[in-house]
Amino acid sequence: AVDFGEDWFKALQDEMHEPGQMHRKLWEFCVIAQAVKERMRPGDKAIGFGVGHEPLPSLFAKWGIDTLATDAPEGGEWAKSMQHVDGKEALFRMWCPEENRDRYLRFTPWDMNSEMHNLPKFRFIWSSSACEHLGGLGETIRFLVASSQRLTEDGIALHTTEASLTERGFHSHN
Protein backbone atom coordinates (compact mmCIF):
# COMPACT_ATOMS: atom_id res chain seq x y z
CA ALA A 1 0.00 0.00 0.00
CA VAL A 2 2.93 2.33 0.69
CA ASP A 3 4.00 2.17 -2.98
CA PHE A 4 0.78 3.91 -4.10
CA GLY A 5 2.01 7.13 -2.46
CA GLU A 6 5.54 6.99 -3.87
CA ASP A 7 6.65 9.41 -6.59
CA TRP A 8 7.90 6.63 -8.91
CA PHE A 9 4.54 4.87 -8.63
CA LYS A 10 2.50 8.01 -9.31
CA ALA A 11 4.70 8.89 -12.30
CA LEU A 12 4.19 5.46 -13.89
CA GLN A 13 0.48 5.50 -13.11
CA ASP A 14 0.19 8.87 -14.84
CA GLU A 15 2.27 7.76 -17.82
CA MET A 16 0.00 4.73 -18.33
CA HIS A 17 -3.15 6.87 -17.81
CA GLU A 18 -4.34 4.37 -15.21
CA PRO A 19 -7.01 5.46 -12.71
CA GLY A 20 -5.89 6.35 -9.21
CA GLN A 21 -7.63 3.59 -7.32
CA MET A 22 -5.71 1.33 -4.97
CA HIS A 23 -5.84 -1.99 -6.82
CA ARG A 24 -3.59 -5.03 -6.95
CA LYS A 25 -3.35 -4.99 -10.78
CA LEU A 26 -2.23 -1.35 -10.84
CA TRP A 27 0.48 -2.22 -8.31
CA GLU A 28 1.60 -5.16 -10.49
CA PHE A 29 1.77 -2.99 -13.61
CA CYS A 30 3.78 -0.26 -11.86
CA VAL A 31 6.24 -2.68 -10.23
CA ILE A 32 6.86 -4.47 -13.54
CA ALA A 33 7.22 -1.15 -15.38
CA GLN A 34 9.66 0.17 -12.78
CA ALA A 35 11.82 -2.96 -13.17
CA VAL A 36 11.94 -2.35 -16.93
CA LYS A 37 12.63 1.36 -16.49
CA GLU A 38 15.56 0.64 -14.16
CA ARG A 39 17.13 -2.25 -16.10
CA MET A 40 16.28 -2.03 -19.79
CA ARG A 41 17.60 0.10 -22.62
CA PRO A 42 15.92 1.07 -25.90
CA GLY A 43 16.26 -1.82 -28.34
CA ASP A 44 16.31 -4.52 -25.62
CA LYS A 45 13.89 -7.40 -26.21
CA ALA A 46 11.00 -8.23 -23.89
CA ILE A 47 8.15 -10.75 -23.95
CA GLY A 48 4.94 -10.62 -21.97
CA PHE A 49 2.80 -13.71 -21.47
CA GLY A 50 -0.99 -13.54 -21.11
CA VAL A 51 -1.00 -9.76 -21.43
CA GLY A 52 -4.70 -9.27 -22.11
CA HIS A 53 -5.57 -5.58 -22.15
CA GLU A 54 -2.78 -4.47 -19.81
CA PRO A 55 -0.98 -1.19 -20.63
CA LEU A 56 2.57 -2.60 -20.35
CA PRO A 57 3.15 -3.60 -24.01
CA SER A 58 2.31 -0.07 -25.20
CA LEU A 59 4.37 1.50 -22.42
CA PHE A 60 7.42 -0.58 -23.28
CA ALA A 61 7.02 0.20 -27.00
CA LYS A 62 6.79 3.89 -26.08
CA TRP A 63 10.14 3.50 -24.29
CA GLY A 64 11.71 1.83 -27.36
CA ILE A 65 11.74 -1.70 -25.92
CA ASP A 66 11.29 -4.35 -28.65
CA THR A 67 8.19 -6.00 -27.16
CA LEU A 68 6.47 -9.26 -28.06
CA ALA A 69 3.07 -9.46 -26.36
CA THR A 70 1.22 -12.77 -26.15
CA ASP A 71 -2.19 -13.98 -25.09
CA ALA A 72 -4.04 -17.28 -25.30
CA PRO A 73 -4.82 -18.50 -28.82
CA GLU A 74 -8.27 -17.79 -30.20
CA GLY A 75 -10.82 -20.34 -29.10
CA GLY A 76 -9.35 -20.72 -25.63
CA GLU A 77 -11.32 -20.01 -22.47
CA TRP A 78 -9.94 -16.48 -22.22
CA ALA A 79 -11.30 -15.64 -25.68
CA LYS A 80 -14.73 -15.45 -24.02
CA SER A 81 -13.60 -12.90 -21.44
CA MET A 82 -13.26 -9.15 -21.74
CA GLN A 83 -9.60 -9.54 -20.70
CA HIS A 84 -8.41 -11.43 -23.78
CA VAL A 85 -6.74 -9.81 -26.79
CA ASP A 86 -6.23 -11.37 -30.19
CA GLY A 87 -4.05 -8.85 -31.97
CA LYS A 88 -1.66 -5.94 -31.81
CA GLU A 89 -4.35 -3.31 -32.42
CA ALA A 90 -6.13 -4.28 -29.19
CA LEU A 91 -2.92 -3.54 -27.25
CA PHE A 92 -2.37 -0.05 -28.60
CA ARG A 93 -2.87 2.92 -26.30
CA MET A 94 -3.26 6.40 -27.78
CA TRP A 95 -0.47 7.75 -25.56
CA CYS A 96 2.05 5.51 -27.34
CA PRO A 97 3.29 7.14 -30.55
CA GLU A 98 2.16 5.15 -33.60
CA GLU A 99 5.70 4.97 -34.95
CA ASN A 100 6.81 3.27 -31.72
CA ARG A 101 3.89 0.86 -31.89
CA ASP A 102 4.75 -0.02 -35.46
CA ARG A 103 8.47 -0.40 -34.76
CA TYR A 104 8.58 -1.96 -31.28
CA LEU A 105 5.31 -3.79 -30.59
CA ARG A 106 4.45 -7.23 -31.93
CA PHE A 107 1.77 -9.74 -30.94
CA THR A 108 1.42 -13.47 -31.27
CA PRO A 109 -1.11 -15.89 -29.79
CA TRP A 110 0.65 -18.17 -27.32
CA ASP A 111 -0.44 -21.04 -25.09
CA MET A 112 1.66 -20.67 -21.93
CA ASN A 113 1.56 -24.47 -21.50
CA SER A 114 3.26 -25.03 -24.87
CA GLU A 115 6.93 -25.65 -25.60
CA MET A 116 9.13 -22.57 -25.73
CA HIS A 117 12.35 -23.86 -27.29
CA ASN A 118 11.53 -22.14 -30.60
CA LEU A 119 11.25 -18.69 -28.99
CA PRO A 120 14.28 -16.39 -29.21
CA LYS A 121 16.07 -15.09 -26.12
CA PHE A 122 14.76 -12.01 -24.32
CA ARG A 123 16.34 -9.62 -21.83
CA PHE A 124 13.05 -9.27 -19.94
CA ILE A 125 10.15 -11.70 -19.47
CA TRP A 126 6.99 -10.84 -17.58
CA SER A 127 3.49 -11.94 -16.76
CA SER A 128 0.92 -10.23 -14.56
CA SER A 129 -1.47 -12.59 -12.83
CA ALA A 130 -1.41 -15.08 -15.69
CA CYS A 131 0.26 -18.05 -13.97
CA GLU A 132 -2.77 -18.88 -11.85
CA HIS A 133 -4.67 -19.73 -15.04
CA LEU A 134 -2.28 -22.45 -16.23
CA GLY A 135 -4.06 -25.32 -14.52
CA GLY A 136 -2.14 -25.93 -11.31
CA LEU A 137 1.12 -25.64 -9.45
CA GLY A 138 2.89 -28.18 -11.69
CA GLU A 139 1.98 -26.28 -14.85
CA THR A 140 3.05 -23.00 -13.24
CA ILE A 141 6.44 -24.38 -12.25
CA ARG A 142 6.94 -25.85 -15.73
CA PHE A 143 6.09 -22.49 -17.31
CA LEU A 144 8.42 -20.56 -15.00
CA VAL A 145 11.33 -22.91 -15.69
CA ALA A 146 10.70 -23.09 -19.45
CA SER A 147 10.27 -19.34 -19.85
CA SER A 148 13.39 -18.59 -17.79
CA GLN A 149 15.38 -20.64 -20.29
CA ARG A 150 14.46 -17.99 -22.89
CA LEU A 151 16.34 -15.28 -20.94
CA THR A 152 19.60 -13.79 -22.13
CA GLU A 153 22.54 -14.18 -19.76
CA ASP A 154 21.86 -10.76 -18.21
CA GLY A 155 18.06 -11.08 -18.45
CA ILE A 156 15.45 -10.96 -15.73
CA ALA A 157 11.97 -12.38 -15.35
CA LEU A 158 9.22 -10.86 -13.26
CA HIS A 159 5.96 -12.76 -12.77
CA THR A 160 3.17 -11.78 -10.41
CA THR A 161 0.43 -14.11 -9.25
CA GLU A 162 -2.46 -14.17 -6.83
CA ALA A 163 -2.00 -15.92 -3.50
CA SER A 164 -3.67 -16.02 -0.11
CA LEU A 165 -1.98 -15.91 3.26
CA THR A 166 -4.03 -17.39 6.07
CA GLU A 167 -3.39 -18.76 9.53
CA ARG A 168 -2.83 -22.11 7.80
CA GLY A 169 -0.13 -20.69 5.53
CA PHE A 170 0.29 -19.90 1.85
CA HIS A 171 -2.32 -20.92 -0.72
CA SER A 172 -1.86 -20.29 -4.41
CA HIS A 173 -4.92 -19.67 -6.55
CA ASN A 174 -3.73 -22.38 -8.96
Side-chain angles (χ1 to χ4, degrees):
V2 171
D3 289 341
F4 284 83
E6 298 292 327
D7 290 341
W8 66 267
F9 190 95
K10 291 177 186 175
L12 288 168
Q13 180 180 348
D14 288 346
E15 189 168 4
M16 291 186 283
H17 299 261
E18 288 294 312
Q21 63 186 12
M22 206 177 229
H23 192 276
R24 165 189 62 80
K25 288 296 282 189
L26 177 58
W27 180 85
E28 291 176 28
F29 297 156
C30 288
V31 167
I32 292 169
Q34 185 65 19
V36 167
K37 191 173 190 175
E38 291 174 357
R39 294 167 179 86
M40 302 282 285
R41 298 174 300 277
D44 282 346
K45 296 184 183 309
I47 185 171
F49 289 99
V51 300
H53 287 277
E54 66 188 49
L56 296 176
S58 279
L59 181 64
F60 299 159
K62 178 183 176 186
W63 291 347
I65 306 298
D66 184 7
T67 305
L68 176 59
T70 73
D71 208 351
E74 189 174 338
E77 272 305 304
W78 283 105
K80 299 173 189 166
S81 78
M82 296 301 292
Q83 298 174 28
H84 181 264
V85 296
D86 59 5
K88 180 173 152 176
E89 293 303 317
L91 297 169
F92 182 63
R93 298 293 203 282
M94 295 305 292
W95 43 258
C96 176
E98 279 190 55
E99 58 272 11
N100 285 47
R101 178 201 61 197
D102 294 343
R103 182 172 180 187
Y104 298 113
L105 183 57
R106 294 174 291 127
F107 175 83
T108 191
W110 193 267
D111 179 347
M112 292 170 63
N113 285 312
S114 65
E115 294 294 322
M116 296 193 191
H117 61 273
N118 59 343
L119 285 175
K121 298 276 186 164
F122 297 89
R123 186 139 186 273
F124 187 73
I125 295 173
W126 90 90
S127 68
S128 176
S129 291
C131 290
E132 61 265 24
H133 304 289
L134 293 177
L137 185 57
E139 289 86 350
T140 297
I141 291 170
R142 188 213 55 78
F143 165 75
L144 294 173
V145 170
S147 64
S148 70
Q149 293 171 346
R150 305 317 316 148
L151 284 169
T152 60
E153 191 173 299
D154 64 342
I156 61 168
L158 201 159
H159 301 279
T160 63
T161 190
E162 299 175 33
S164 298
L165 296 175
T166 68
E167 63 276 357
R168 294 187 204 149
F170 171 81
H171 302 280
S172 172
H173 289 271
N174 278 327

